[in-house]
């Protein structure tokens, strides 16, 4: 009988000498692992990344373990499909120490307003906080312009009152603009125009009534302009503080511009001596000397300029008193123009005009006593 007949199809018995391999129990939680594939563990729960990482928001998603099929030899190089790369750990940036504030180098004494630090404080307040003085003298260039303007006063006064109007109008314009900028109010075109118009009105009134009525012309014009300024500020729609600042600045600027008319009311010889004394005073003050020595030298120079001017006008040595007082007034004007950390515009307007403007009362009063 053939083997086919003895063992029907599908019921063939294994060879007697062939024994089946014993069934190998896999290790718990371990399956076949490909050498190029990361192990996959199935602990019955979703796994999370427990190592330290800088990214606290990233959590890899781990799918449940699937039976791993033996990879074909030609596909063994492929990367695992269920693995997700972890983000690289980047070192935390070391905090840099905050740089200490260094004040900007001021070669020429000027500073851009409120470009560093707290923008709510002024340059003068920052200068005081840093131990620097808010007093900055105008320097040699404004002193040269003031000296040129003072000599122009002296020359035009010798010619006549109408010739004196040319430097006087220029002085009043510089005074009005410089005073507003010195008080930190810019642009203030209406206030500057109003103060300058007050100076022109005082000049016109004085020329119309004559020098013998100079006090009435100057004081009357000043009273009218104060009232006019008050009415205009009351009609303003600005806040109360802003209106008060504008009122005070406009009244002071108009008063200074009108006060400069005293040069036109004074005697010609007194204007000559006063112009020369102020010119010498500002130049001597601009010299790089220590404080006390500079003041003493400036006063001596102003008295000497008064004597020289008295010799030119025939007043003689009595001109020393007028020169000395005019020099003191010029120093006061320079000090005012140097206060509160001023800008270059202030130095070229108020720093040029205030020495001559402050000397106008002295030129008028002492000139009347001497001439």
């Amino acid at each position: 009988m053939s083997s086919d007949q003895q063992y029907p199809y599908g019921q063939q018995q294994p060879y007697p000498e062939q024994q089946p391999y014993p069934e190998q129990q896999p290790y718990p939680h371990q399956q076949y692992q490909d050498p190029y594939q990361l192990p996959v563990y199935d602990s019955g729960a979703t796994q999370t990344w427990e190592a330290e990482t800088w990214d606290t928001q990233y959590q890899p998603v781990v799918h449940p373990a699937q039976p791993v099929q033996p990879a074909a030899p030609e596909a063994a190089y492929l990367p695992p499909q269920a693995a997700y790369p972890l983000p690289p750990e980047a070192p935390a940036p070391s905090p840099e120490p905050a740089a200490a504030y260094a004040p900007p180098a001021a070669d020429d004494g000027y500073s851009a307003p409120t470009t560093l630090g707290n923008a709510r404080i002024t340059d003068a307040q920052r200068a005081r906080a840093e131990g620097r003085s808010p007093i900055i003298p105008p320097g040699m260039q404004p002193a040269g312009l003031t000296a040129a303007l003072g000599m122009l006063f002296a020359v035009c006064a010798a010619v006549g009152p109408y010739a004196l109007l040319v430097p006087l109008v220029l002085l009043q314009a510089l005074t009005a603009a410089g005073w507003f900028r010195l008080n930190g109010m810019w642009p203030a075109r209406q206030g500057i125009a109003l103060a300058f118009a007050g100076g022109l009105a005082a000049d016109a009134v004085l020329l119309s009534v004559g020098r013998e009525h100079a006090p009435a012309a100057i004081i009357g014009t000043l009273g009218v302009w104060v009232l006019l300024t008050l009415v205009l500020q009351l009609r303003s729609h600005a806040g109360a503080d802003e209106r008060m600042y504008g009122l005070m600045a406009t009244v002071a600027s108009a008063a200074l511009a009108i006060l400069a008319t005293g040069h036109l009311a004074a005697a010609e010889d007194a204007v000559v001596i006063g112009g020369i004394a102020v010119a010498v005073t500002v130049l001597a003050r601009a010299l790089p000397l220590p404080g006390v020595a500079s003041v003493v030298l400036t006063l001596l120079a102003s008295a000497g300029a008064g004597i020289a001017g008295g010799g030119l006008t025939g007043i003689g040595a009595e001109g020393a008193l007028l020169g000395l007082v005019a020099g003191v007034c010029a120093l006061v004007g320079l000090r005012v123009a140097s206060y509160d950390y001023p800008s270059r515009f202030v130095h070229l307007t108020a720093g040029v005009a205030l020495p001559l403007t402050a000397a106008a009362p002295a030129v008028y009063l002492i000139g009347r006593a001497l001439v």
Side-chain angles (χ1 to χ4, degrees), residues 80-334:
Q81 301 297 324
Y84 291 87
L86 294 176
E89 295 186 1
S94 59
E96 298 181 358
Y101 171 75
D107 298 335
D108 54 353
Y110 304 104
S111 171
T114 62
T115 56
L116 297 175
N118 190 357
R120 296 180 179 273
I121 65 175
T122 62
D123 287 336
Q125 294 172 340
R126 184 178 297 113
R128 294 188 186 96
E130 296 171 359
R132 295 183 287 113
S133 174
I135 306 299
I136 299 178
M140 184 57 71
Q141 184 179 3
L145 295 176
T146 304
L149 188 59
M151 296 305 296
L152 185 60
F153 263 84
V155 172
C156 293
V159 175
Y162 290 96
L164 187 59
L165 278 177
V166 176
L168 180 59
V169 170
L170 179 60
L171 177 65
Q172 291 169 335
L174 292 176
T175 301
W179 186 260
F180 271 92
R181 189 62 185 93
L182 182 62
N183 287 270
M185 302 184 65
W186 190 264
R189 299 180 182 89
Q190 294 181 355
I192 294 173
L194 184 61
F196 180 56
L200 295 181
D203 298 341
V205 172
L206 181 62
L207 289 176
S208 62
V209 300
R211 291 179 177 175
E212 59 275 10
H213 302 288
I218 294 176
I219 296 176
T221 305
L222 180 59
V224 171
W225 243 251
V226 170
L227 181 60
L228 179 61
T229 303
L230 182 60
V231 172
L232 292 178
Q233 289 297 328
L234 290 177
R235 294 174 57 87
S236 175
H237 298 287
D241 293 339
E242 186 176 354
R243 282 187 294 175
M244 181 60 67
Y245 295 152
L247 175 63
M248 298 304 296
T250 306
V251 169
S253 182
L256 290 173
I258 295 172
L259 194 65
T261 311
H263 289 290
L264 188 62
E268 291 84 355
D269 295 342
V271 177
V272 172
I273 297 174
I276 296 175
V278 171
V280 174
T281 299
V282 294
L283 290 177
R285 183 58 174 164
L287 296 177
L289 296 175
V292 178
S294 177
V295 172
V296 172
L297 178 62
T298 300
L299 295 179
L300 292 177
S302 62
I307 295 175
L312 293 176
T313 58
I315 295 179
E318 295 180 354
L321 177 61
L322 177 57
L324 180 61
V325 177
V328 172
C329 294
L331 289 179
V332 172
L334 283 176

